[in-house]
């Protein structure tokens, strides 16, 4: 559940915050009904999401097996729209009122719709493709784990949407110029991430060639766009929120009559609630992108090897050691000094699964047991215990063994041959 929640939050927070910030800046201070520009922004977000769903479906069904051309064209469009929007916002920073009027305001509305559509189109496919991972291999279709993953996926979308809406309601209480300046810096950073992604795609497609500092900078930006840059943007958004909080904590301004005074006090109470809700939301965002990400990416430590006996030319493990049905790890010091790890488990039905603590795909990363499954430490693939001892996939490399006199024996010659896997 936590893994799905974290991935959704990391994937769609930036598009939602872009939508909320543009809506806050480009909506007039007082409106009647549902403004046309607001409807177009919603249509743009839905259009980008719909296009992303189609693109994800085509990728999942292998109709599109090479997405480089789509990535290059959409990233070029993102960079152009982002930079154009930055220039428009820079010209609007000093405007004293919410919303946009005249040709400059119309250009800002059009560019905001394009930026929103492209942002959702770029972000949603990777999140939606996680649906294929809701059911692990060998797992029942309707299981508690599958339901928890679905719940985490839905909770991530809901949390980001609530955060964006609370931010919109909060910054409408902040100074116009400061909010526009914050949006300007955010759009610039967002454009830089799109530019870095474009350079990376062009590099991988051999359209351009980078080396040295340029390559390291591109790699850092693309690898940290969902972490450090997202947190930097979150800190950036806190500035107008703090100003809004300071404004609503001050004394209530004088009003011409008691009724107006009560209305002002009620409005300030609502403003304080929105500011506090947004602050809590951003604190949760920071916790999600730090503590939760660290928890999800935590790499388990392999258990220490257990003792066994050497009898003649074989490593012998008593059957009583394996009777609990859990994974057991052992280690043999090969003649060349290499430590050869091997694992054993008593499978359902009384058969034994014996293999090296390594696989042909991931090498000597090792396996650990969690929730009754055997997990590859490197790729996090869950192995059905019943398949241990068989070749294929990420299964442990099977080795020869015999069961005699209530013990499982592995020839030392087999372990010596396995040393090349761990060398």
């Amino acid at each position: 559940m936590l893994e799905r929640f974290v991935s959704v939050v990391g994937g769609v927070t930036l598009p939602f915050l872009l939508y909320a910030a543009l809506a806050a800046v480009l909506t007039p201070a007082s409106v009647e009904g549902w403004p046309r520009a607001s409807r177009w922004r919603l249509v743009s977000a839905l259009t980008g999401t719909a296009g992303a769903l189609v693109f994800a479906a085509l990728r999942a069904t292998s109709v599109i097996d090479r997405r480089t051309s789509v990535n290059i064209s959409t990233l070029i469009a993102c960079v152009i729209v982002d930079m154009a929007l930055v220039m428009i916002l820079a010209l609007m920073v000093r405007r004293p009122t919410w919303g946009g009027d005249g040709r400059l305001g119309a250009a800002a509305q059009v560019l905001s719709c394009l930026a929103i559509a492209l942002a959702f189109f770029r972000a949603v496919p990777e999140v939606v493709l996680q649906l294929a991972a809701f059911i692990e291999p060998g797992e029942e279709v309707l299981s508690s784990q599958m339901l928890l993953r679905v719940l985490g996926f839905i909770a991530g979308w809901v949390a980001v949407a609530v955060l964006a809406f609370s931010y919109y309601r909060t910054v409408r209480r902040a100074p116009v110029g400061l909010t526009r300046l914050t949006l300007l810096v955010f759009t610039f950073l967002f454009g830089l991430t799109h530019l870095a992604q474009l350079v990376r795609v062009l590099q991988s497609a051999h359209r351009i060639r980078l080396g040295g500092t340029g390559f390291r900078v591109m790699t850092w930006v693309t690898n940290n766009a969902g972490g450090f840059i997202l947190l930097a943007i979150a800190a950036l958004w806190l500035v107008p929120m703090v100003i809004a909080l300071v404004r609503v904590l001050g004394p209530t301004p004088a009003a011409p009559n008691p009724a107006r005074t009560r209305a002002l006090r009620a409005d300030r109470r609502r403003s304080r609630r929105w500011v506090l809700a947004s602050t809590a939301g951003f604190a949760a965002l920071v916790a999600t992108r730090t503590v939760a990400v660290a928890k999800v990416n935590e790499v388990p430590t392999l258990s220490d090897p257990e003792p066994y006996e050497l009898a003649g030319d074989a490593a012998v493990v008593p059957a009583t050691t394996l009777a609990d049905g859990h994974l057991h790890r052992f280690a043999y010091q090969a003649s060349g000094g290499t430590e050869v790890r091997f694992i054993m488990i008593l499978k359902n039905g009384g058969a034994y699964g014996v293999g090296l603590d390594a696989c042909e795909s991931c090498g000597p990363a090792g396996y650990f047991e969690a929730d009754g499954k055997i997990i590859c430490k490197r790729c996090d693939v869950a192995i059905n215990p019943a398949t241990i001892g068989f070749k294929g996939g990420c299964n442990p490399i099977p080795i020869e063994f015999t069961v005699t006199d209530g013990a499982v024996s592995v020839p030392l010659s087999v372990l010596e041959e396995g040393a090349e896997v761990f060398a």
Side-chain angles (χ1 to χ4, degrees):
M1 176 178 177
L2 181 62
E3 182 179 359
R4 297 291 168 255
F5 180 84
V6 167
S7 60
V8 171
V9 170
V12 300
T13 295
L14 289 180
F16 270 94
L17 285 181
L18 177 67
Y19 184 107
L22 287 170
V25 167
L26 298 178
T27 301
S30 58
V31 295
E32 295 181 2
W34 192 7
R36 179 183 300 176
S38 298
R39 294 198 298 268
W40 278 111
R41 281 191 293 271
L42 178 60
V43 169
S44 299
L46 295 177
T47 301
T49 302
L53 293 175
V54 173
F55 182 50
L58 294 177
R59 284 177 53 185
T61 55
S62 299
V63 174
I64 295 179
D65 55 355
R66 294 182 180 180
R67 58 182 188 272
T68 301
S69 58
V70 176
N71 285 338
I72 291 177
S73 58
T74 54
L75 283 171
I76 290 175
C78 285
V79 171
I80 293 174
V81 171
D82 290 341
M83 293 303 103
L85 187 57
V86 164
M87 290 187 289
I88 293 294
L89 292 174
L91 296 174
M92 296 179 63
V93 164
R94 293 184 176 274
R95 298 210 169 189
T97 58
W98 296 105
D101 51 6
R103 294 182 178 179
L104 192 62
Q109 298 286 5
V110 172
L111 289 172
S112 69
C113 291
L114 292 174
I116 290 170
L118 289 169
F120 277 89
F121 181 83
R122 290 287 311 164
V124 171
E126 297 301 329
V127 176
V128 171
L129 287 173
Q130 298 173 19
L131 294 171
F134 279 176
I135 304 175
E136 298 288 352
E139 188 176 68
E140 295 181 0
V141 175
L142 293 178
S143 65
S144 58
Q145 291 298 321
M146 186 274 289
L147 293 177
L148 286 175
R149 296 186 193 106
V150 172
L151 182 60
F153 183 83
I154 296 174
W157 283 93
V158 173
V160 173
V162 171
L163 172 64
F165 181 71
S166 63
Y167 175 77
Y168 166 80
R169 295 298 299 266
T170 299
V171 297
R172 294 286 287 181
R173 275 82 175 171
V176 181
L178 178 61
T179 305
R180 282 204 176 105
L181 181 60
T182 304
L183 176 59
L184 172 64
V185 178
F186 166 61
T187 307
F188 179 74
L189 293 176
F190 205 20
L192 285 183
T193 61
H194 285 149
L195 179 60
Q197 292 171 3
L198 175 60
V199 172
R200 184 188 64 178
V201 173
L202 293 175
Q203 169 90 355
S204 62
H206 305 290
R207 306 283 182 87
I208 61 174
R209 179 173 296 179
L210 290 178
T213 303
F215 180 78
R216 288 191 293 272
V217 170
M218 176 203 68
T219 303
W220 185 89
V221 173
T222 54
N223 289 340
N224 291 276
F228 175 80
I229 293 178
L230 178 58
L231 294 179
I233 290 172
L236 180 70
W237 285 134
L238 289 175
V239 177
M241 291 170 54
V242 171
I243 301 299
L245 179 61
V246 171
R247 295 178 71 174
V248 299
L249 288 178
T252 304
N257 56 70
R260 181 59 180 166
T261 300
R262 289 193 296 270
L264 289 174
R265 288 175 179 171
D267 182 68
R268 292 169 74 84
R269 284 196 297 270
R270 286 193 297 269
S271 298
R272 283 195 293 270
R273 294 192 189 104
W274 282 114
V275 172
L276 293 176
S278 297
T279 303
F282 274 87
L285 173 63
V286 172
T288 300
R289 299 306 303 166
T290 53
V291 178
V293 168
K295 179 65 177 178
V296 169
N297 295 331
E298 185 179 33
V299 179
T301 302
L302 298 181
S303 60
D304 294 330
E306 301 178 31
Y308 60 94
E309 299 177 1
L310 289 176
D313 59 351
V316 180
V317 178
T320 53
T321 302
L322 310 176
D324 57 7
H326 292 293
L327 181 71
H328 295 265
R329 190 184 333 275
F330 308 93
Y332 168 75
Q333 195 77 17
S335 57
T338 302
E339 182 183 71
V340 180
R341 301 191 313 272
F342 59 102
I343 56 178
M344 295 184 182
I345 188 172
L346 176 62
K347 301 188 288 187
N348 292 334
Y352 291 97
V354 181
L356 296 178
D357 194 21
C359 78
E360 296 178 353
S361 301
C362 300
Y367 299 84
F368 63 94
E369 184 176 358
D371 299 326
K373 298 178 182 178
I374 309 303
I375 313 295
C376 174
K377 181 180 177 182
R378 175 164 297 173
C379 67
D380 203 36
V381 167
I383 308 299
N384 187 341
T387 65
I388 295 179
F390 298 95
K391 292 183 178 181
C394 201
N395 280 344
I397 299 174
I399 56 177
E400 176 187 345
F401 71 96
T402 58
V403 180
T404 55
D405 298 328
V408 180
S409 302
V410 178
L412 296 184
S413 59
V414 172
L415 297 177
E416 290 285 348
E417 293 175 359
E420 62 180 5
V421 177
F422 296 88

